[in-house]
Amino acid sequence: MNLSIAEENYVKAIYKLQEGDTAVTTNALAYELDTKPASVTDMAKKLKEKQLIDYEKYKGITLTAEGRKTALQIVRRHRLWECFLVDKLAFSWEEVHELAEELEHVRSEKLTNRLSEYLGNPTVDPHGDPIPDAHGRMAKPRPQTSLDQANAKRLVVTAVTDQSVALLAFLNAKGIRLGTQLEIVAHYEYDNSIEIKMKHAPSLTISEQVAKNIMVRPV
Amino acid sequence: MNLSIAEENYVKAIYKLQEGDTAVTTNALAYELDTKPASVTDMAKKLKEKQLIDYEKYKGITLTAEGRKTALQIVRRHRLWECFLVDKLAFSWEEVHELAEELEHVRSEKLTNRLSEYLGNPTVDPHGDPIPDAHGRMAKPRPQTSLDQANAKRLVVTAVTDQSVALLAFLNAKGIRLGTQLEIVAHYEYDNSIEIKMKHAPSLTISEQVAKNIMVRPV
DNA sequence: AAAATTATTTAGACAAATCTAAATAATTTT
DNA sequence: AAAATTATTTAGATTTGTCTAAATAATTTT
Ligand SMILES: [Mn+2]
Ligand SMILES: [Mn+2]
Ligand SMILES: [Mn+2]
Ligand SMILES: [Mn+2]
């Protein structure tokens, strides 16, 4: 199956939006891909033809087993390139998504596997997302909660769910990265902001919106 | 100037075919890009519009200063990725061209420059071709001749001009690579074949066709 | 200098990926 | 259960990059 870059981007986006087995809607996919619903309908017909998705008019889209396999390969390449850029070329975590968005389309299993090996077969990318292995299997992520819901006091940052440049840059500015250890000092009921304390730094207060997008686990 | 992948491939091919200031013909370019002359004519109009080439009907194609600059950037990316694949991911020199053909289209100066730095700012690629620097300047290659025209006896291999998988695989099989030192043992006038001797190996005889595509310089 | 050949361009078509505007289906509100 | 709203699809265009077949220009042969 030889897919175009556009087709690969659709398959990946469907994978991302398809939580469990809920069908992905035309509008949601159009929004995710920054395109128009009419374009999504056109592409849905093509991807159905190629047996990568199940699709019936007005019923939404789900990946077939084949489509899921394809999506996992693309996600694997994307996340490995992100690791490469951060670990080897010293890019910052907010810079790599855009570049990986292009690098992920170089389809070569040999390249992908060599890259993985070169990086030490990493299991998570710079944003804490798991990397599928060559067979599409992902390590089950260790249990984690968003910082606003954490009840343990001493925590370690394991992932970031909103990966916008804006949030990542904010976290950089505050010295918060993957692996950062912190303690919850206080919850403020007024706006659900949270005061946290990291080693060797004064405590700081972050908004609920930020806290919701930081995943943590008890240390 | 935002170029498509197709446009980049054209610009690079024109650069490759344009020796000195001879205009590139429609047919030659079509052959190089494995497409049809009619398609080349269409694209020539577009690239002229974008001021990357000079082009008049029936008069052939030459790059403008802007076009040459663009071409050098693409060549730089291509050759740096080839170095990466060989030096870091242990690919063989005959495998990398095809992959670099895709990787070269990821346009990011920051990525390109970081990659170059990471590789130790190499000045030649795995085939002995010079790599333009960030300003498009290439180290003037040290004087070299093809093996069939060499007169010195003790030589070192500096580049390969035909970079087909077939020739590169042949050279692998015979243990000939960049930096290999060899002596010319004999020229056979019958078919212009050449007998060479490398250290720690019995001498071997190579055809004129092979010799023509190996560049050497006195050791 | 004609005639023949080769090179190049033009005309018209097609597939991929997208769009807008209009039509239709599904869902929600009243 | 109508009416109103929202979601989705269809119809018809557009752009990019390509093609084939026919026309024209340039070059070579006779
Ligand atoms: Mn992408
Ligand atoms: Mn990521
Ligand atoms: Mn290319
Ligand atoms: Mn090369």
Side-chain angles (χ1 to χ4, degrees), chain A residues 49-77:
Chain A
E49 189 59 39
K50 294 195 172 188
Q51 308 196 31
L52 294 167
I53 62 171
D54 291 316
Y55 165 67
E56 297 299 332
K57 268 196 203 182
Y58 299 106
K59 298 284 176 56
I61 294 168
T62 53
L63 290 175
T64 61
E66 183 65 23
R68 198 155 29 248
K69 207 176 118 192
T70 301
L72 283 163
Q73 284 167 357
I74 304 166
V75 167
R76 170 167 160 82
R77 295 193 297 257

Side-chain angles (χ1 to χ4, degrees), chain A residues 4 6-7 10 35-36 38-39 42-43 46 58:
Chain A
S4 67
E7 289 168 333
Y10 270 88
T35 183
K36 296 284 150 29
S39 307
D42 288 346
M43 183 60 92
K46 268 197 286 185
Y58 299 106

Side-chain angles (χ1 to χ4, degrees), chain B residues 73-171:
Chain B
Q73 284 167 357
I74 304 166
V75 167
R76 170 167 159 82
R77 294 193 297 255
H78 184 104
R79 292 179 181 168
L80 285 173
W81 281 117
E82 286 189 341
C83 287
F84 169 72
L85 294 169
V86 167
D87 295 353
K88 303 296 186 184
L89 300 194
F91 277 85
S92 177
W93 65 352
E94 81 274 17
E95 301 176 290
V96 298
H97 178 80
E98 194 189 335
L99 289 169
E101 202 56 48
E102 305 195 39
L103 289 163
E104 71 188 359
H105 300 294
V106 178
R107 260 150 297 179
S108 160
E109 281 198 34
K110 188 165 186 178
L111 171 55
T112 307
N113 294 338
R114 288 269 173 104
L115 179 64
S116 176
E117 200 184 338
Y118 180 61
L119 298 169
N121 295 310
T123 58
V124 293
D125 83 0
H127 310 105
D129 291 319
I131 301 176
D133 71 12
H135 309 290
R137 282 189 286 265
M138 277 189 282
K140 200 156 284 152
R142 296 169 65 178
Q144 49 182 12
T145 37
S146 59
L147 180 50
D148 69 312
Q149 306 216 313
N151 38 31
K153 212 180 129 205
R154 295 179 50 75
L155 302 161
V156 58
V157 176
T158 53
V160 185
T161 48
D162 172 358
Q163 292 167 15
S164 66
V165 172
L167 176 59
L168 296 176
F170 172 84
L171 296 178

Side-chain angles (χ1 to χ4, degrees), chain B residues 169-209:
Chain B
F170 172 84
L171 296 178
N172 284 345
K174 301 303 179 191
I176 300 171
R177 56 195 116 246
L178 292 198
T180 295
Q181 295 194 16
L182 51 84
E183 289 182 38
I184 295 181
V185 177
H187 281 90
Y188 298 105
E189 146 187 52
Y190 174 65
D191 62 354
N192 291 314
S193 61
I194 297 174
E195 185 173 352
I196 60 176
K197 170 85 180 67
M198 294 177 292
K199 273 175 197 156
H200 317 304
S203 73
L204 68 138
T205 301
I206 59 176
S207 69
E208 181 182 24
Q209 197 190 344

Side-chain angles (χ1 to χ4, degrees), chain A residues 97-161:
Chain A
H97 178 81
E98 193 188 334
L99 289 168
E101 201 56 47
E102 304 196 39
L103 289 162
E104 71 187 358
H105 300 293
V106 178
R107 259 150 298 182
S108 160
E109 281 199 33
K110 190 165 184 178
L111 170 55
T112 306
N113 294 338
R114 288 269 174 105
L115 180 64
S116 176
E117 201 182 339
Y118 181 61
L119 297 170
N121 295 310
T123 58
V124 293
D125 82 359
H127 310 104
D129 291 317
I131 301 175
D133 71 14
H135 309 289
R137 282 190 287 265
M138 277 190 283
K140 198 155 289 153
R142 296 170 65 180
Q144 49 181 12
T145 36
S146 58
L147 179 50
D148 68 313
Q149 306 215 309
N151 37 30
K153 209 177 133 207
R154 296 178 51 76
L155 303 159
V156 57
V157 175
T158 53
V160 185
T161 48

